[in-house]
Amino acid sequence: WDETTSAFVPIASKSPPWIILDMMTNSRFGGGLATARFDMVKLREFARHCYLYGLEFNGVFDVQMNLWDSVQNVLRVGRGQLVNVGTRYTVAIEGVGEPEMMFSVANMVKDSFKDNWLPTSERANEIEVTYFDKEDGNKQKTVRVYDPAAITAGRPQKSSSITLYGVDNIAQAYKEGLLQLNLNRYILQTVAFSAPIEAIACTVGELVYVQHDMPQWGYAGRCEAGSTLTTVKLDRPM
């Protein structure tokens, strides 16, 4: 996608979304799907995200695998995931965003809210990232990324490893290792709840606010019948 002309141009690209689109739609070596089955607005957003963070896929597929597994390698580098929306595909992006909506006690199914704290004792505080160095004939290299807070606290090392096909430089490999460490370090809590379909105005991968009385994350309610443009009737005292 050419931002200056607002049109697609047929050129080689290192950008994960356009590689994925080619893989999924090419009738000779890909999936042969129609381009109309892809959310182009979201793919352009994905491309801007990859450009902003310097996320490029520079690799080859030299072992036999199915199309979906091949696509996952490219998505991993771009920090995205394909999502089915009916018969079309959109993409969920691991990145900065603004909340799309808020779930609260006013639009959750009663007694469905669950608040879960995740254990951290077994989480990796050291990540070994394998990449393919373009400066050395694309040989496999490994960069090790440490959690400085764990070292300062004297915690025992717990290692994990990831292989990033399509990453050919140490800078990009290090950033991906740092992202994984931060996910391990900061994702400490999850919530689960049910909501009626008419209360859902978001999709997979979007950021939302969550309010509930049980952990005292603020208070919520509904507008009662009889509210007007100048007067709002609430269902509880404030």
Side-chain angles (χ1 to χ4, degrees), residues 5 14 21 33 45 54 74 82 86 124 138 143 146 156 167 181 189 224 229 235:
T5 61
K14 302 175 183 178
L21 183 65
L33 299 178
E45 180 185 336
V74 185
L82 283 181
N138 292 102
V143 59
Y146 301 91
V167 173
L181 276 183
Q189 189 178 14
E224 287 195 323
L229 292 177
D235 65 349

Side-chain angles (χ1 to χ4, degrees), residues 75-153:
L75 285 166
R76 175 68 183 81
V77 172
R79 305 175 187 170
Q81 182 60 54
L82 283 181
V83 178
N84 282 102
V85 181
T87 60
R88 302 180 73 223
Y89 288 98
T90 185
V91 62
I93 304 168
E94 179 72 57
V96 177
E98 293 295 325
E100 298 294 328
M101 63 170 295
M102 183 175 80
F103 288 97
S104 71
V105 292
N107 58 10
M108 292 180 188
V109 175
K110 186 178 180 181
D111 298 327
S112 68
F113 180 84
K114 295 179 181 178
D115 184 13
N116 303 306
W117 288 90
L118 305 175
T120 60
S121 58
E122 298 303 317
R123 293 192 185 187
N125 52 31
E126 173 184 294
I127 305 287
E128 292 183 349
V129 183
T130 298
Y131 67 103
F132 300 84
D133 192 356
K134 64 181 178 182
E135 302 295 338
D136 192 14
N138 292 102
K139 292 179 181 177
Q140 276 193 200
K141 297 287 183 67
T142 300
V143 59
R144 187 170 295 178
V145 188
Y146 301 91
D147 181 356
I151 295 174
T152 303

Side-chain angles (χ1 to χ4, degrees), residues 30 52 71 106 120 122 128 135 137 141 154 159 161 174-175 193 208:
L52 179 63
V71 166
T120 60
E122 298 303 317
E128 292 183 349
E135 302 295 338
K141 297 287 183 67
S159 296
S161 61
Y174 182 86
K175 286 195 296 184
F193 53 85
V208 298

Side-chain angles (χ1 to χ4, degrees), residues 190-212:
T190 65
V191 296
F193 53 85
S194 298
I197 193 70
E198 64 268 18
I200 300 174
C202 61
T203 187
V204 176
E206 290 182 338
L207 187 66
V208 298
Y209 286 123
V210 177
Q211 176 280 330
H212 202 274

Side-chain angles (χ1 to χ4, degrees), residues 10-38:
I11 60 173
S13 176
K14 302 175 183 178
S15 183
W18 308 134
I19 295 172
I20 291 163
L21 183 65
D22 191 31
M23 294 170 71
M24 296 290 282
T25 60
N26 193 284
S27 59
R28 181 172 64 85
F29 58 77
L33 299 178
T35 306
R37 292 188 58 184
F38 293 86

